[in-house]
Amino acid sequence: QVQLVESGGGLVQAGGSLRLSCAASTFRRYTMGWFRQAPGKEREFVAGISWSGGSTYYADSAKGRFTISRDNAKNTVYLQMNRLKPEDTAVYYCAARPGTVSVRDDYDYWGQGTPVTVSS
């Protein structure tokens, strides 16, 4: 069992930045992902990172603005979000799964989410 706790969400103006963190009770060799769910919409993949950190994947909406990283010594994964837009407003979730990064929500473990609101 893996417990995931996200933090770092909040209210920011368009063009601003936020860094989300996700602390895991154990990392083992899990691949980590960030997803988001906006009001009235389905949850969608944002970014993923392999166990080693050597491979990263991004949704088109995140490319060039968001950066996923991890510190295995601290059991923490991060999502640096720059040049935020109002359409980035959502609850952001981190998730863990064994194996390779998946852009589907077929992850075994999920955090409770942290809300991000981007004002125009």
Side-chain angles (χ1 to χ4, degrees), residues 15 17 22 28-29 31 35 49 52-53 60-61 71 74 83-84 92 97 106-107 113 120:
S17 299
C22 174
R28 299 177 69 174
R29 297 187 70 84
T31 285
F35 289 74
I49 188 167
S52 68
D60 287 343
S61 59
D71 184 338
K74 296 182 178 179
R83 303 200 308 277
L84 283 161
Y92 284 71
R97 71 188 301 270
D106 54 353
Y107 285 64
S120 57

Side-chain angles (χ1 to χ4, degrees), residues 64-79:
R65 299 188 300 127
F66 295 2
T67 303
I68 188 171
S69 61
R70 67 191 295 164
D71 184 338
N72 288 347
K74 296 182 178 179
N75 286 359
T76 302
V77 63
Y78 305 96
L79 184 68

Side-chain angles (χ1 to χ4, degrees), residues 79-118:
L79 184 68
Q80 177 67 44
M81 304 188 295
N82 298 327
R83 303 200 308 277
L84 283 161
K85 304 174 182 179
E87 51 263 45
D88 295 318
T89 295
V91 177
Y92 284 71
Y93 300 89
C94 72
R97 71 188 301 270
T100 58
V101 172
S102 173
V103 300
R104 299 180 300 176
D105 59 355
D106 54 353
Y107 285 64
D108 293 344
Y109 305 101
W110 292 84
Q112 83 290 348
T114 186
V116 171
T117 302
V118 184

